[in-house]
Amino acid sequence: MASASWPEKGNRSLIGKRISRLDGPAKSTGRAQYAYDVNLPGMLWARVLPSPYARAEVKSIDASAAAAMPGVHATWVDEDLINDEVRYVGQIVAAVAAESEEIATDALAKIAVSYTPLDHQVDDNNPALARRPSDKEEGDLAKALDEADVVVEGNYSCPVITHCCLEPHGQVAEVRDGELFLWPSTQNVSRYADRLDDAVGIARSKMHVDCQYMGGGFGSKFGHDKWGIIGSIMAKETGRPVKLMLERDLELAIAGNRPSAHAKIKVGTKSDGTVTAFEGELWGTGGSGGYSMRAFPYVFNVPNLKTTIKGIRTNRGGQRAWRAPSHPQTCFLTMSALEDAAAALKMDQVEFYKKNLGLTDRPDVYAEQLDIATKLIGYDRKSHLRGDASPGPVKRGLGFGLHTWGGLGHGSECEVTINPDGSVSASIGTQDLGTGARTLIAIVAGETLGLPLEAIEARIGKNSYPASGASGGSTTTGGIATSTRLASTAALNELLAVVAPRLGGNADALEAKEGVIREINHPNNAIAWADACALLGTNAITKRGVNNRTEAKEQGFIDEGVGGVQIADVSVDTETGVVTLNKMVAVQDCGLILDMKTAESQVMGGLIMGITFALFEEALYDPTTGRMLNADMEFYRLAGISDVGDLKVHMMTGEKYEKRGVIGLGEPPVISPGAALSNAVANAIGVRVPELPLTPERVLAALA
């Protein structure tokens, strides 16, 4: 019988190869239908009314004038807000659904809301405003600092930034015959309708979710949210489909953000570069909700430390998970402080990091990655101590970032069906955020069954399929790969049992390869796949595979814990303050790689997102009004193709990595770019630019 274990390197036909995504043509030609593209007959357009105040008591909400307008079919009012408070600009107060977007927009102006404005605050960089600190202390910090040969202190800062999903949050909802049909933009297909039944009054078993494509989530699209409830209620009330997608200003202001992180850090080292002490005070805001920050200091387990982390409650939209929550911030803060220590020692950056790799959880991996990264960037000929002494206003520098992540596959179920006509389908209630889930499912099923990629129909994006976890924490690939492998193997073994008598042997002696089922020791004794499936008569084979993450880890299907090293090569014009990224190298491990092309693409996407974080992104708030000032695509800046430079990716392969099984890759590559770019700029101009993004104004201020 076929074994479910991952095949050895010499016995793989699809796994690990460079395979283009199955949905690439649909996306590149515009045939792929996203939630925003769903337009149903008789559909109504919904718009929401946001609070104009950062904090105010709501006395009353009257939508009667809006409801009376021609073309308006439904209004919704948040009754829970009456005699309560709104807590940030953009908080949804009411909504309308109308025949057109224009009518809906006009109707919002007819809704009368009585507010009593209250004092608010949006400042996230005043530690005096923070509360409920979380303290951690290990070793003897005071003694370590006293005995250190060099002590370096610095302040470092990165702002709130928004997810800026190109497809905004929202959904299309329709109620037919008492059942609710939903087309959302979500990263949690199987659980999107959870707890929606109480709000809408339709049983969970009668809710049908369909998300075939989505335009970005990054951690902000796990639930149905308030707008999902509103749209569903309006669809039920009117008996017509309702589309409710957020406008761009609300998308940026209220649909999720990455918390800010400001820190004062003190590092103590020996004269040989050994880090012995770390003291850090970190503060920032998660908006109107809580503040979560962890992994501080980052990667390096300093023996003597004291850290304090405290959040500032602000009247802004709340934080949401975003690719490697808190890691990009603490990586930037920690690596900046460490490289400042190396500069104070007048010590080469690579030598400094290698001296302290014993403080990490995976020193051998980081050492290997550092060697590869430095060769790829040309470190020997480009490196210098802090401050480029070459003539002219343009200075060049290199900077490093080291990172880590978990990535253990989530719970997942997959159903594989082999039909008598030879066709094969793999059905799983997952979603594809752009990581290539469809393709990976087809790769694993095709590899297992000995079939080409195009022979597998990968079915995803519906909650009617076997349940799979939300796409978060880099858990999707490991989860769906394992359940698909188990289901495919079980289905294959049942087929082998049917075929064995025809080939005159037993099922244990057979294998599926290159479109045939054959005897392992006598490969000429074979039967074509289609002929083998025809032996099933009228009965298809359907088997379900379940990823139990604990068992799967023990059996070598999946694992957790990866490392990565990134180096940025920048040029800085000291007259204009403009930072230009020349080249960026990323070296990354993620266990067994299912699709090399997709893996490299994932890392490049992470680099681009991190470069944008380092050079451009910043959510700006007016302290007087509490309003986000740049909630649009003109002034909320993102990197363009000319901003990202030459990107080089190296994936770690070989037995010691591949034997660990599949590990998620979505989070790790986005972590280090902020640190690497900031350190590269400091290496180029000789001084630290303490705050991200690295705008020309901040560069010039640091030089001054």
Side-chain angles (χ1 to χ4, degrees):
M1 305 294 277
S3 169
S5 300
W6 296 118
E8 297 296 326
K9 187 172 184 177
N11 198 30
R12 302 171 192 158
S13 59
L14 294 173
I15 288 177
K17 303 297 191 294
R18 300 182 60 82
I19 297 173
S20 297
R21 302 184 192 206
L22 293 174
D23 52 11
K27 289 182 175 180
S28 60
T29 59
R31 297 198 311 273
Q33 190 175 66
Y34 296 76
Y36 214 105
D37 299 321
V38 175
N39 294 301
L40 303 177
M43 189 178 75
L44 301 175
W45 299 80
R47 287 289 178 267
V48 298
L49 181 68
S51 164
Y53 297 102
R55 182 168 171 247
E57 184 180 357
V58 179
K59 294 295 187 182
S60 63
I61 308 172
D62 183 359
S64 58
M69 284 182 61
V72 173
H73 290 262
T75 60
W76 175 90
V77 168
D78 191 341
E79 301 285 350
D80 292 337
L81 279 178
I82 298 175
N83 296 320
D84 201 349
E85 294 181 11
V86 290
R87 291 175 172 82
Y88 52 89
V89 172
Q91 185 169 345
I92 296 172
V93 174
V96 299
E99 293 284 350
S100 69
E101 293 179 88
E102 292 78 10
I103 294 174
T105 301
D106 290 344
L108 291 179
K110 299 288 187 180
I111 299 176
V113 184
S114 175
Y115 295 99
T116 300
L118 302 171
D119 291 340
H120 66 266
Q121 90 85 18
V122 292
D123 181 4
D124 71 316
N125 196 7
N126 181 356
L129 298 173
R131 52 185 178 176
R132 281 185 262 177
S134 171
D135 297 320
K136 179 180 179 181
E137 191 165 0
E138 295 178 358
D140 190 335
L141 177 67
K143 181 180 178 182
L145 287 173
D146 185 60
E147 295 177 352
D149 295 315
V150 172
V151 176
V152 173
E153 293 186 64
N155 290 282
Y156 313 92
S157 181
C158 55
V160 169
I161 61 176
T162 83
H163 292 68
C164 198
C165 305
L166 291 189
E167 180 188 34
H169 287 63
Q171 65 175 28
V172 175
E174 182 180 22
V175 175
R176 298 196 304 263
D177 300 323
E179 301 198 359
L180 177 61
F181 296 83
L182 298 163
W183 292 268
S185 181
T186 182
Q187 55 195 90
N188 192 6
V189 164
S190 293
R191 301 285 180 262
Y192 181 80
D194 284 4
R195 297 182 298 279
L196 193 57
D197 47 356
D198 292 337
V200 181
I202 295 176
R204 171 71 179 77
S205 60
K206 294 184 177 182
M207 294 183 180
H208 310 278
V209 178
D210 189 348
C211 176
Q212 295 303 308
Y213 303 94
M214 63 171 300
F218 318 122
S220 68
K221 291 181 178 177
F222 286 124
H224 49 69
D225 287 302
K226 194 172 186 177
W227 38 86
I229 294 173
I230 295 169
S232 299
I233 289 174
M234 287 180 160
K236 180 183 178 183
E237 179 183 331
T238 62
R240 293 173 62 172
V242 173
K243 176 184 283 189
L244 200 171
M245 307 291 288
L246 293 188
E247 295 289 296
R248 179 55 55 184
D249 56 350
L250 284 182
E251 175 67 26
L252 269 67
I254 73 170
N257 64 66
R258 177 189 284 167
S260 57
H262 315 285
K264 181 177 182 179
I265 299 174
K266 183 184 294 184
V267 175
T269 71
K270 294 296 187 182
S271 58
D272 65 356
T274 303
V275 177
T276 58
F278 185 98
E279 183 177 14
E281 181 185 7
L282 189 161
W283 62 91
T285 190
S288 57
Y291 181 69
S292 57
M293 199 63 57
R294 58 186 186 275
F296 182 62
Y298 192 69
V299 172
F300 294 91
N301 305 308
V302 183
N304 304 288
L305 66 85
K306 180 180 180 181
T307 59
T308 299
I309 299 175
K310 47 193 179 182
I312 300 173
R313 185 66 62 90
T314 54
N315 295 111
R316 304 183 180 195
Q319 68 175 19
R320 296 192 179 200
W322 187 352
R323 290 180 80 168
S326 84
H327 283 230
Q329 299 100 309
T330 56
C331 178
F332 158 70
L333 298 173
T334 303
M335 301 299 161
S336 296
L338 292 180
E339 289 214 12
D340 284 352
L345 289 163
K346 298 190 181 332
M347 189 172 183
D348 175 78
Q349 299 167 85
V350 175
E351 182 185 353
F352 177 81
Y353 281 120
K354 286 189 173 182
K355 184 69 177 179
N356 290 287
L357 289 182
L359 299 177
T360 72
D361 293 333
R362 308 180 73 209
D364 57 329
V365 172
Y366 286 122
E368 186 179 5
Q369 292 177 336
L370 276 168
D371 288 342
I372 294 170
T374 52
K375 288 178 182 177
L376 289 174
I377 205 75
Y379 188 79
D380 288 345
R381 58 186 173 81
K382 294 180 181 177
S383 66
H384 55 75
L385 296 180
R386 181 166 292 186
D388 181 0
S390 62
V394 177
K395 306 299 182 182
R396 195 158 181 171
L398 300 175
F400 287 74
L402 281 67
H403 58 260
T404 185
W405 189 252
L408 184 67
H410 59 40
S412 174
E413 299 185 17
C414 177
E415 203 165 74
V416 169
T417 297
I418 301 174
N419 295 301
D421 64 358
S423 61
V424 177
S425 65
S427 303
I428 182 167
T430 189
Q431 50 286 314
D432 190 346
L433 283 75
T435 57
R438 270 190 187 83
T439 309
L440 298 178
I441 291 167
I443 286 173
V444 173
E447 180 76 62
T448 308
L449 301 176
L451 297 174
L453 200 68
E454 57 271 16
I456 309 297
E457 181 188 4
R459 300 173 176 175
I460 68 169
K462 294 186 178 183
N463 68 338
S464 57
Y465 295 150
S468 192
S471 291
S474 301
T475 60
T476 301
T477 296
I480 64 176
T482 302
S483 61
T484 302
R485 178 71 172 178
L486 293 172
S488 301
T489 303
L492 174 61
N493 282 329
E494 187 164 318
L495 179 61
L496 295 180
V498 173
V499 172
R502 172 66 67 90
L503 295 181
N506 61 65
D508 290 342
L510 303 181
E511 65 178 359
K513 288 287 181 183
E514 299 174 355
V516 302
I517 292 179
R518 65 192 187 189
E519 193 174 351
I520 296 172
N521 294 327
H522 302 91
N524 290 330
N525 182 24
I527 182 173
W529 176 266
D531 295 334
C533 293
L535 298 176
L536 297 174
T538 59
N539 299 315
I541 295 172
T542 297
K543 293 293 181 181
R544 183 168 293 209
V546 179
N547 178 42
N548 179 304
R549 58 197 327 217
T550 301
E551 294 177 1
K553 183 178 179 180
E554 292 173 352
Q555 295 165 0
F557 289 107
I558 55 177
D559 203 353
E560 60 186 323
V562 299
V565 170
Q566 295 178 9
I567 308 178
D569 171 358
V570 305
S571 293
V572 184
D573 190 322
T574 57
E575 293 180 344
T576 65
V578 172
V579 177
T580 300
L581 177 59
N582 304 310
K583 185 175 184 178
M584 196 156 187
V585 165
V587 181
Q588 183 66 54
D589 72 284
C590 66
L592 176 65
I593 295 173
L594 299 177
D595 182 352
M596 181 61 74
K597 188 174 185 178
T598 300
E600 291 175 351
S601 174
Q602 269 291 91
V603 177
M604 287 189 178
L607 289 177
I608 292 169
M609 181 171 275
I611 292 164
T612 294
F613 160 58
L615 297 182
F616 301 110
E617 288 189 85
E618 182 174 13
L620 299 170
Y621 278 77
D622 176 17
T624 301
T625 64
R627 185 180 298 274
M628 184 178 173
L629 296 174
N630 57 338
D632 55 50
M633 297 301 289
E634 181 178 7
F635 295 107
Y636 188 84
R637 293 204 57 200
L638 300 175
I641 192 66
S642 63
D643 297 312
V644 299
D646 179 20
L647 305 181
K648 297 294 182 185
V649 175
H650 179 92
M651 302 302 301
M652 304 299 290
T653 57
E655 183 182 359
K656 81 173 184 178
Y657 295 102
E658 294 170 357
K659 71 180 181 181
R660 302 182 65 203
V662 178
I663 310 174
L665 182 59
E667 256 83 353
V670 82
I671 297 170
S672 279
L677 276 155
S678 180
N679 286 331
V681 169
N683 182 246
I685 65 176
V687 294
R688 170 70 58 184
V689 181
E691 186 174 0
L692 297 183
L694 300 163
T695 61
E697 295 82 1
R698 290 187 174 123
V699 172
L700 293 175
L703 285 167

